[in-house]
């Protein structure tokens, strides 16, 4: 569907959606009207086409195309155009032989019959692959009118859960244990037997447009119930009888007949714009999300109180003391013995002022730090804009692949700020190898991500997975990188190097000051390790749902919560870094450049630890290929998150250090 949005509508919608953070459908996705046979036209369709997407499993990271399995195929198969995000996520949507006429109920319609002959190696391999799919609980994903066909069933506490997928079949193990969907039917009880769901009863719900100013009807829900049925006569199926068994041992010929039924139901209470609600309401995450937000806000308030106390009490008192008296004068500050102390004594009380001549000394490995900060700035702006648009509803699940497409396009177009920030800071550090700086900014971190991504793609290609990126798409990504992002990075670096170096508020001494012996808590490693705990505490609940959406194939739609957590993460990273930076400066340790970056960046290490815990405790992934893919993609996430959080902490600390030393008079 083409997106047509006029600017006035965008402004109005933006204001409304931002105030509620509940916008869902992308404005401009036009509804499709359906009419009965003989009443159709250009504005009203009569044929309902069911599309099939890739099949995936919670026990495997490898998705497969529908055609890889030996299901009934469309004779005139066609694929709708896919955007970059869909290709990167491995979505492979194509037409299916399931075609319905609007408001024409169908009962037990034969689709096709598959025959597997004993002794024929091709049939044996195909049947083995089908059984492997049932063993790993691979799920169908069907689409009608850009809406998932769901399987709704009762769960605990009498609640209904609507799954946007349904299994190929299920397995009863050799010891008689029913796995996955086999628990729904007591007739699935034969040991070492697979039961394939070869019949689907589909119900399509529509909203009638009579009296509402538009012609025909609009589809507002599509649900199905999968069944396993063995038809005695494939030519005249009855869709009744015993389950369709697929023996664990292929010792005789096997015939599987695929059938379907369709019923239509009118429901004018459900509006087209809210037709996804029945799926989203069945996902009871809202209460947990509010708990997460409140938990994060408590951490933010605690840190804000600590920072405010430092800024208003300690720092304000110190700065006022230094600036209001001349050197050598007495100031009336009571000591523990009740005596007044001199300026020199007052100066000794606070260690952060004593390192004013070294605090802006350029860091070691300034080139690498500036490159990381340039890339981190690019990721930060990309993340902010993407989440903001998602919060407004522009990147909803209804617009498939839009989230990834938006992220990639924004990253490509934001090369200029990356080059500018990196070159400006590198010049401030006194660096002169500007060509090396701009090349590393444009190539280092994206190169690491692309190399990891390419290796993962090779594994997917060897395994024959639908998630393997086609060669043409890889060339397109490289073209975007080298054709757009790299030149924009050079442009940003050009303007960054033309600007003068950032002027520091105090001069740097020629001879470095000796750093006194540090206590355990003010040493670099303990401080960095402690710095990532609080930011991670703000996001770990939200992280659970994000990982579920990626690896357990659950639908993620709560971008309003995610945007709020994003803001809380910014504040927490900034305040935690400022707090620890102040303690280290008071301990007369002036090496704050890298420490500020690593303190908040260490949150990514906790992210990796949590991902390892999630893998072993929540997932049932089996196989070496899936394990390698999980940790390969997780490594990309961790690197991006490291650059993102590290950049936040650095610039917060950079502002803080400049602020406190700019208001102190130093001779």
């Amino acid at each position: 569907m083409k997106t047509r949005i006029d600017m006035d509508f965008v402004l109005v919608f933006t204001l409304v959606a931002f105030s509620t953070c509940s916008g869902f459908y992308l404005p401009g996705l036009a509804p499709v009207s359906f009419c009965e046979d003989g009443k159709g036209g250009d504005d009203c369709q009569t044929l309902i086409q069911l599309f099939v997407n890739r099949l995936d499993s919670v026990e495997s990271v490898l998705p497969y195309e529908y055609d890889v399995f030996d299901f009934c195929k469309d004779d005139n198969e066609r694929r709708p155009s896919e955007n970059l995000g869909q290709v990167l996520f491995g979505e492979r949507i194509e037409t299916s032989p399931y075609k319905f006429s609007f408001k024409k109920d169908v009962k037990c319609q034969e689709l096709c019959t598959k025959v597997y002959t004993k002794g024929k190696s091709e049939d044996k391999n195909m049947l083995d692959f089908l059984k492997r799919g049932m063993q790993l609980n691979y799920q169908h994903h069907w689409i009608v009118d850009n809406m998932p066909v769901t399987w709704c069933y009762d769960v605990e506490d009498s609640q209904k859960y609507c799954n946007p997928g349904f299994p190929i079949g299920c397995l009863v193990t050799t010891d008689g244990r029913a796995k996955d969907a086999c628990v729904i039917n007591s007739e699935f009880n034969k040991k070492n037997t697979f039961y394939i769901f070869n019949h689907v009863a589909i119900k399509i719900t529509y909203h009638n447009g009579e009296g509402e100013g538009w012609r025909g009807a609009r589809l507002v829900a599509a649900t199905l119930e999968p069944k396993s049925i063995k038809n005695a006569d494939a030519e005249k199926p009855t869709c009744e009888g015993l389950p369709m068994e697929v023996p664990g041992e292929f010792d005789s010929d096997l015939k599987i007949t695929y059938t379907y039924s369709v019923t239509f139901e009118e429901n004018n209470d459900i509006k087209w714009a809210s037709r996804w609600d029945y799926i989203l309401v069945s996902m009871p995450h809202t209460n947990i999300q509010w708990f997460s937000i409140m938990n994060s806000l408590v951490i933010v308030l605690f840190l804000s109180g600590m920072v405010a106390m430092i800024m208003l009490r300690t720092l304000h008192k110190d700065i006022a003391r230094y600036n209001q008296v001349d050197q050598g004068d007495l100031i009336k500050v009571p000591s523990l013995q009740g005596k007044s102390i001199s300026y020199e004594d007052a100066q000794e009380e606070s260690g952060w002022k004593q390192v004013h001549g070294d605090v802006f000394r350029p860091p070691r490995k300034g080139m690498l730090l500036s490159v990381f900060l340039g890339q981190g700035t690019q990721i930060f702006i990309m993340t902010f804009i993407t989440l903001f648009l998602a919060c407004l509803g522009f990147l909803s699940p209804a617009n498939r692949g839009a989230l990834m497409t938006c992220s990639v396009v924004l990253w490509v177009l934001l090369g200029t700020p990356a080059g500018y920030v990196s070159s400006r800071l590198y010049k401030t550090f006194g660096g002169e190898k500007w060509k090396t700086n701009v090349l590393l900014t444009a190539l280092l971190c994206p190169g690491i991500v692309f190399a990891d991504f390419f290796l993962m793609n090779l594994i997917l290609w060897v395994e024959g997975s639908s998630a393997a990126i086609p060669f043409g798409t890889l060339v397109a990504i490289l073209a975007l990188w080298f054709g757009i992002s790299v030149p924009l990075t050079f442009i940003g670096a050009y303007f960054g190097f033309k600007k003068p170096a950032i002027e520091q508020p105090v001069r740097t001494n020629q001879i470095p000051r000796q750093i006194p012996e540090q206590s355990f808590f003010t040493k670099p490693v303990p401080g960095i390790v402690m710095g990532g705990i609080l930011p991670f505490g703000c996001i770990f609940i939200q992280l659970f749902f994000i990982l579920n959406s990626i690896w357990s194939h659950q639908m993620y739609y709560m971008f309003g919560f995610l945007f709020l957590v994003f803001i809380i993460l910014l504040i927490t990273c900034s305040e935690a870094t400022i707090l620890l930076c102040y303690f280290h400066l008071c301990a007369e340790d002036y090496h704050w450049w890298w420490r500020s970056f690593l303190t908040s960046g260490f949150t990514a290490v906790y992210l990796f630890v949590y991902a390892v815990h999630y893998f072993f405790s929540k997932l049932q992934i089996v196989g070496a290929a899936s394990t390698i893919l999980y940790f390969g993609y997780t490594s990309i996430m961790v690197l991006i998150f490291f650059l993102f959080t590290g950049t936040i902490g650095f610039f917060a600390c950079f502002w803080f250090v400049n602020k406190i030393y700019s208001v102190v008079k130093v001779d």
Side-chain angles (χ1 to χ4, degrees), residues 10-69:
V10 170
L11 292 173
V12 173
F13 180 81
T14 299
L15 291 173
V16 173
F18 182 63
S19 63
T20 60
C21 273
S22 61
F24 187 72
Y25 255 98
L26 176 67
L29 282 178
V32 179
S33 296
F34 293 90
C35 296
E36 298 177 62
D37 282 339
K39 299 180 182 179
D42 293 338
D43 61 340
C44 199
Q45 300 181 15
T46 57
L47 182 67
I48 300 175
Q49 172 68 67
L50 188 145
F51 290 87
V52 291
N53 203 343
R54 65 176 185 179
L55 286 84
D56 53 36
S57 166
V58 295
E59 298 182 33
S60 174
V61 181
L62 302 167
Y64 290 101
E65 289 190 51
Y66 180 85
D67 285 348
V68 175
F69 294 90

Side-chain angles (χ1 to χ4, degrees), residues 479-499:
L480 290 172
W481 180 15
F482 287 100
I484 300 177
S485 180
V486 172
L488 288 176
T489 305
F490 273 81
I491 292 171
Y494 171 77
F495 287 106
F497 279 114
K498 282 194 70 177
K499 286 273 189 179

Side-chain angles (χ1 to χ4, degrees), residues 322-339:
Y322 291 133
N323 292 344
Q324 287 177 3
V325 298
D326 295 324
Q327 188 169 354
D329 291 345
L330 287 176
I331 54 177
K332 303 301 181 180
V333 179
S335 66
L336 292 176
Q337 291 79 21
K339 300 178 181 179

Side-chain angles (χ1 to χ4, degrees), residues 109-294:
Q109 175 68 44
E110 180 193 357
L111 204 63
C112 72
T113 299
K114 296 289 182 178
V115 179
Y116 301 93
T117 306
K118 180 186 176 183
K120 197 173 180 180
S121 60
E122 184 180 350
D123 287 357
K124 182 180 184 303
N125 293 337
M126 191 65 73
L127 191 60
D128 286 345
F129 190 76
L130 188 63
K131 289 192 286 187
R132 177 68 173 167
M134 288 187 277
Q135 184 179 356
L136 294 177
N137 195 27
Y138 269 84
Q139 305 271 319
H140 285 283
H141 293 282
W142 291 1
I143 302 166
V144 166
D145 190 29
N146 197 41
M147 180 176 55
V149 182
T150 58
W151 177 32
C152 297
Y153 50 87
D154 293 329
V155 292
E156 55 189 14
D157 299 330
S158 301
Q159 293 184 336
K160 180 162 286 192
Y161 177 74
C162 291
N163 187 358
F166 68 96
I168 297 174
C170 59
L171 164 68
V172 176
T173 61
T174 53
D175 58 357
R177 182 170 57 89
K179 281 189 63 181
D180 303 317
C182 276
V183 299
I184 65 175
N185 192 336
S186 59
E187 293 182 340
F188 299 162
N189 52 24
K190 194 171 182 180
K191 294 181 179 180
N192 192 27
T193 303
F194 296 86
Y195 294 90
I196 187 167
F197 292 128
N198 59 332
H199 176 81
V200 287
I202 303 171
K203 183 174 76 172
I204 297 177
T205 307
Y206 63 91
H207 181 106
N208 203 321
E210 293 181 7
E212 297 194 21
W214 43 273
R215 186 173 170 228
R218 294 172 181 172
L219 307 188
V220 293
T223 59
L224 60 74
E225 183 182 355
K227 297 180 180 180
S228 178
I229 299 173
K230 184 176 183 179
N231 292 285
D233 187 354
E235 296 181 358
K236 294 181 180 180
T238 60
C239 298
E240 294 177 355
L242 297 173
M244 182 67 219
E245 298 177 357
V246 179
E249 300 295 331
F250 187 31
D251 51 7
S252 61
D253 293 352
L254 183 68
K255 185 183 292 186
I256 302 176
T257 301
Y258 291 90
T259 56
Y260 70 91
S261 301
V262 181
T263 57
F264 289 86
E265 180 180 276
E266 181 176 342
N267 188 335
N268 293 324
D269 294 331
I270 305 175
K271 303 297 182 184
W272 182 86
S274 58
R275 62 182 186 161
W276 286 61
D277 287 0
Y278 81 98
I279 306 172
L280 306 180
V281 167
S282 69
M283 301 178 183
H285 300 334
T286 307
N287 292 335
I288 300 175
Q289 295 284 356
W290 280 118
F291 170 77
S292 169
I293 298 296
M294 295 305 297

